[in-house]
Amino acid sequence: MTLEYLGRKWAMLILLEIYKGGGRIRFGELRNRLDGITSKVLTTRLKELEEQGLLLRHVDAVSVPFKVEYALTAPGVEVIEIIKDLKSWALRWMIDNLDCQGQDCSECTL
Amino acid sequence: MTLEYLGRKWAMLILLEIYKGGGRIRFGELRNRLDGITSKVLTTRLKELEEQGLLLRHVDAVSVPFKVEYALTAPGVEVIEIIKDLKSWALRWMIDNLDCQGQDCSECTL
DNA sequence: CCGGATCCGGGTAGATACTG
DNA sequence: CAGTATCTACCCGGATCCGG
């Protein structure tokens, strides 16, 4: 079921961050942008999201140090809109994120 | 954060079921409709959602046996649309709910 | 009977370190 | 750089009990 993985901690934030990075991002970059996330959780979430078909893992074994990039799939891009709606809703009702001014504020933690 | 309570198991399904019941429903009725949920989990989720301002608890202590009804607040009604979008998206990509034909199928577990 | 509260047990998610 | 390994906490579910 969708919420079993989308509702998990960090999942939507990860998708949102990949989206902000242009739909494709490296592991380390992702970890840097998501303040407070640990490698293990990030790896786990990425694996789940990949299994669900929301993103794809690309390995570049040639370059040194080697790169691993994660990219949104078509369904992954579509769900971004819903995540934005959810964020927008949360801000509109000021249930949380009280200090935030705009929907794209990087401090918003959904 | 929003997902801390919306992402919890049963939370969105509870909201959706209250909505289907006309925006207001009794505890027992809700439990009957949500196949497999226990009283404990239902109580917990309802309390959390009430604290977040998504629904209101109305107690009718007069009638015997007394009634307790839960009703969606304005934010609660609004978030329903997003939940529907999420469900619709999940169905469109057939990530799960493969047996389901329409968005309002009661078997869909999001 | 209705709407919970309470206690207990297992599984899993997440934090803290360490590694190829 | 991109992950594992281990350890702990807490969430979920079942059973039982309670107050009106």
Side-chain angles (χ1 to χ4, degrees):
Chain A
M1 314 148 202
T2 307
L3 292 179
E4 300 269 331
Y5 56 91
L6 269 188
R8 274 195 182 87
K9 208 167 181 182
W10 296 105
M12 294 206 193
L13 295 173
I14 289 170
L15 292 173
L16 214 49
E17 216 51 56
I18 298 179
Y19 173 77
K20 286 187 192 170
R24 174 179 271 255
I25 199 170
R26 294 185 63 175
F27 184 90
E29 178 68 11
L30 200 47
R31 190 180 42 200
N32 291 337
R33 298 205 193 192
L34 296 167
D35 190 48
I37 199 171
T38 64
S39 289
K40 184 199 171 182
V41 175
L42 182 52
T43 319
T44 311
R45 285 298 94 82
L46 287 171
K47 197 177 298 177
E48 291 165 358
L49 293 170
E50 189 191 3
E51 286 171 0
Q52 299 299 327
L54 296 195
L55 46 85
L56 282 174
R57 199 175 99 111
H58 301 277
V59 184
D60 176 7
V62 178
S63 60
V64 179
F66 69 104
K67 292 197 301 183
V68 178
E69 286 192 324
Y70 292 87
L72 293 173
T73 61
V77 172
E78 279 211 16
V79 84
I80 292 288
E81 293 308 312
I82 300 173
I83 296 175
K84 282 187 182 176
D85 287 345
L86 195 55
K87 196 166 185 174
S88 168
W89 166 84
L91 290 171
R92 212 163 46 245
W93 292 100
M94 305 220 296
I95 286 173
D96 35 33
N97 295 329
L98 293 176
D99 294 335
C100 188
Q101 302 300 335
Q103 183 179 161
D104 292 328
C105 168
S106 64
E107 302 302 326
C108 289
T109 49
L110 261 177
Chain B
M1 316 151 202
T2 307
L3 291 179
E4 299 268 333
Y5 57 89
L6 270 187
R8 276 198 179 84
K9 208 167 182 182
W10 296 104
M12 294 206 194
L13 295 175
I14 289 169
L15 292 173
L16 214 50
E17 216 53 53
I18 299 179
Y19 173 77
K20 286 187 193 169
R24 172 181 272 256
I25 200 172
R26 294 187 62 176
F27 183 89
E29 178 70 10
L30 201 47
R31 188 179 46 197
N32 292 337
R33 297 204 195 193
L34 296 167
D35 191 47
I37 199 171
T38 63
S39 289
K40 182 198 169 182
V41 176
L42 182 53
T43 322
T44 311
R45 286 299 93 80
L46 287 172
K47 198 178 298 178
E48 291 165 358
L49 293 170
E50 190 192 2
E51 286 170 0
Q52 298 300 327
L54 296 195
L55 46 85
L56 281 174
R57 202 174 98 111
H58 300 277
V59 185
D60 176 7
V62 178
S63 60
V64 179
F66 70 103
K67 293 196 302 183
V68 178
E69 287 192 324
Y70 292 87
L72 294 173
T73 62
V77 171
E78 278 210 16
V79 85
I80 292 287
E81 292 308 313
I82 300 173
I83 296 176
K84 281 187 181 176
D85 287 346
L86 197 56
K87 196 166 183 173
S88 167
W89 166 84
L91 289 171
R92 210 163 49 245
W93 292 99
M94 307 222 296
I95 285 173
D96 36 32
N97 295 328
L98 293 175
D99 294 335
C100 188
Q101 302 300 334
Q103 182 179 162
D104 292 328
C105 169
S106 65
E107 302 302 324
C108 291
T109 48
L110 261 177

